[in-house]
Amino acid sequence: MSEQQTPRARAVATRWLGVGLASAVAVVTLGLAVTGRLTLYISPESVWFASAAAVVTLAGAVWSCTLPLGAEDDHGHDHGDATAEPEHADDEASRTTVTPRRTLAGVGAVAGGVIATGVVAAALVLPPASLSVELAMSRAGEQATLFAGADTVALGVADTSTFGIGDWASVFAGATNTAAYDGAPVTLTGFVTPAGKGDGVNLTRLVITHCVIDAQTAALPTDVDPGEYETGQWVEVTGTVRADADGTLRIEPTDVVAIDEPKDPYEY
């Protein structure tokens, strides 16, 4: 590659790593928002913010493309004549040291660019998909603070008919007067995961605050034959909350129906 081609290639690579990748991510974000599938990754309340950020990014990308190629590297500083002879021996040694550093920086930039390009390409090619089952199974043993220390008095005044799996997980985890919930009717939608011990399975759902990164697993012990449904199968359970003598709560189903994964697989 000639000396004239090298700066141009570097400028093209710089623009792709900056403007190109950002634009691709913005286009993917807007596409998911328009088709209603962005909620597979972030909460509905955050969709507007992500969409606005994508629009701003695209506007900035369009403006950036009006700049001459290579303008990103022009910081307006006068570094002097690079061909001038060094005045001191220390200057020559310093330049010798800089060369390996630039080489390492170049290798790092190329490696980072390849990884970033691969991530963006995967986002463009792979279809949007829920991460519910995978995340729930990986975090099944975690003690999430979201479901710890629930206050029985505060929850007791609520209309439990509106509770989702996350709400009931709070009750199951921290209620001190479990008998108060015995006999409460429920109709819940979730997917099946192993209970870990004893009979039955867990009716599970992921509860997210902002995006799937902060997702926490909510699981309710349910009297369903473990061999009846495969792990990850979505079901709608109609039944009753039961309080056992040892103070634990479980779901006693009267009807279990296998369903397809809902359009919005998370609770918030």
Side-chain angles (χ1 to χ4, degrees), residues 25-124:
V25 171
V27 169
V28 171
T29 300
L30 290 175
L32 291 173
V34 170
T35 58
R37 293 177 294 178
L38 192 57
T39 52
L40 291 174
Y41 306 103
I42 62 176
S43 68
E45 292 79 7
S46 302
V47 169
W48 71 269
F49 178 80
S51 300
V55 170
V56 171
T57 298
L58 286 177
V62 171
W63 172 82
S64 179
C65 288
T66 64
L67 299 175
L69 193 63
E72 296 90 342
D73 296 327
D74 184 8
H75 303 294
H77 300 300
D78 183 10
H79 297 291
D81 185 3
T83 62
E85 293 294 330
E87 296 181 0
H88 305 287
D90 289 344
D91 293 337
E92 184 66 33
S94 176
R95 291 186 180 183
T96 303
T97 303
V98 167
T99 300
R101 291 179 180 175
R102 287 180 177 174
T103 301
L104 290 175
V107 171
V110 171
V114 170
I115 294 173
T117 301
V119 171
V120 172
L124 290 170

Side-chain angles (χ1 to χ4, degrees), residues 68-187:
L69 193 63
E72 296 90 342
D73 296 327
D74 184 8
H75 303 294
H77 300 300
D78 183 10
H79 297 291
D81 185 3
T83 62
E85 293 294 330
E87 296 181 0
H88 305 287
D90 289 344
D91 293 337
E92 184 66 33
S94 176
R95 291 186 180 183
T96 303
T97 303
V98 167
T99 300
R101 291 179 180 175
R102 287 180 177 174
T103 301
L104 290 175
V107 171
V110 171
V114 170
I115 294 173
T117 301
V119 171
V120 172
L124 290 170
V125 175
L126 298 178
S130 164
L131 302 177
S132 299
V133 178
E134 290 78 2
L135 277 179
M137 294 294 290
S138 66
R139 302 180 181 183
E142 296 180 3
Q143 293 295 325
T145 56
L146 177 64
F147 307 120
D151 184 271
T152 302
V153 176
L155 290 171
V157 299
D159 179 8
T160 58
S161 65
T162 64
F163 279 14
I165 292 179
D167 300 314
W168 277 115
S170 295
V171 175
F172 279 37
T176 56
N177 181 19
T178 56
Y181 301 99
D182 187 63
V186 294
T187 299

Side-chain angles (χ1 to χ4, degrees), residues 1-13:
M1 184 176 291
S2 68
E3 293 182 359
Q4 293 181 347
Q5 290 175 325
T6 299
R8 180 176 178 81
R10 184 183 300 113
V12 171

